């Protein structure tokens, strides 16, 4: 999955949504996320924290929030209904979801890759994150209740992504995971551009080894002497050995163990 990368040269058309447009940073591409949800306010605090907040302020990332209820034709702003054939819970209906997606896709010059957060999707891992980071724009579809009417999958053909083999109350927290992991791949977001190369599952495919900071000793636990030696070759070799050991012990199924 490779998308055209672009450098922003001008501001895009005005948008009517829940976030104002951040200032443009001219030397970097901008990654845009559109989050479609029945509870968009869940993201309010999340967008004001840590690296994501800084990335938005610096114009590296845009996050736009959209409420399904604003697109329903129901006078009571209802977006869900009982499933045919019976069964527990409610399903999100076709009309507000289709109308919301189609309207949001027109809010930018280029349509985004539509992503449905679903426990039935492809599991989110480092490889998938790197693929998603190739897009200029992701449109994240967050489910609730018992999920979506199947015709939403059939008609909109989203890329389905799962945060893991479990069921969350909705797609909002998995959408946050997608945003959090993808922005780490965007140039300029991390303070140290090499940071993500040493993450678990990154270039080596191994888990990251143990890390230490001050003090040198705490409650009888000491920092390994090799890290205090100043010998960078020995330190790198030790770290690689520790990564191999940790991966074998904790994630023996990873391909890096079978090399």
């Amino acid at each position: 999955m490779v998308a055209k990368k672009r450098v922003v040269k001008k501001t895009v058309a005005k948008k009517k949504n829940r976030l104002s447009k951040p200032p443009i940073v001219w030397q970097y591409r901008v990654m845009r996320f559109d989050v479609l949800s029945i509870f968009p306010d869940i993201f309010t605090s999340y967008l004001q924290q840590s690296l994501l907040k800084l990335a938005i302020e610096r114009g590296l990332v845009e996050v736009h929030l959209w409420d399904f209820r604003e697109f329903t034709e129901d006078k009571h702003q209802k977006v869900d209904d009982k499933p045919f054939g019976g069964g527990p819970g409610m399903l999100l209906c076709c009309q507000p979801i289709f109308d919301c997606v189609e309207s949001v896709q027109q809010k930018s010059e280029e349509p985004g890759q539509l992503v449905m957060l679903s426990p039935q999707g492809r599991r989110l891992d480092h490889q998938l994150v790197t693929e998603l980071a190739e897009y200029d724009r992701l449109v994240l579809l967050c489910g609730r209740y018992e999920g979506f009417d199947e015709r939403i999958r059939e008609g909109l053909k989203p890329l389905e992504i799962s945060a893991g083999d479990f069921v969350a109350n909705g797609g909002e927290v998995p959408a946050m995971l997608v945003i959090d992991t993808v922005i780490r791949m965007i140039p300029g977001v991390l303070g140290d551009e090499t940071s993500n190369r040493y993450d678990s599952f990154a270039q080596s495919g191994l888990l990251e080894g143990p890390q230490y900071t001050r003090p040198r000793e705490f409650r009888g636990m000491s920092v390994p002497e090799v890290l205090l030696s100043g010998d960078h070759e020995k330190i790198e070799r030790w770290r690689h050995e520790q990564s191999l050991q940790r991966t074998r012990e904790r994630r023996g199924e990873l391909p890096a163990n079978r090399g």
Side-chain angles (χ1 to χ4, degrees), residues 200-256:
S200 294
F201 313 112
Q203 290 181 339
S204 68
L206 300 171
L207 299 182
E208 188 175 17
Q211 303 257 33
Y212 300 86
T213 188
R214 297 175 183 175
R216 292 176 57 169
E217 184 171 337
F218 181 75
R219 296 187 179 181
M221 298 175 285
S222 300
V223 176
E225 287 298 323
V226 64
L227 297 178
L228 309 173
S229 68
D231 188 326
H232 297 294
E233 185 176 336
K234 282 185 177 179
I235 291 172
E236 286 303 310
R237 186 163 57 248
W238 179 86
R239 284 176 170 165
H240 182 65
E241 291 170 352
Q242 291 295 312
S243 289
L244 283 170
Q245 179 180 337
R246 180 161 289 188
T247 305
R248 282 194 296 264
E249 291 174 350
R250 303 185 182 188
R251 295 294 300 275
E253 80 283 2
L254 290 177

Side-chain angles (χ1 to χ4, degrees), residues 7 25 48 70 77 87 89 231:
V7 176
V25 175
Q48 299 301 315
E70 295 179 1
Q77 291 193 307
D231 188 326

Side-chain angles (χ1 to χ4, degrees), residues 67-85:
D67 190 338
F68 291 140
R69 291 189 182 92
E70 295 179 1
F71 297 87
T72 183
E73 296 174 353
D74 184 83
K75 64 180 180 180
H76 301 296
Q77 291 193 307
K78 187 177 179 181
V79 296
D80 61 326
D81 211 331
K82 297 178 181 178
F84 284 117

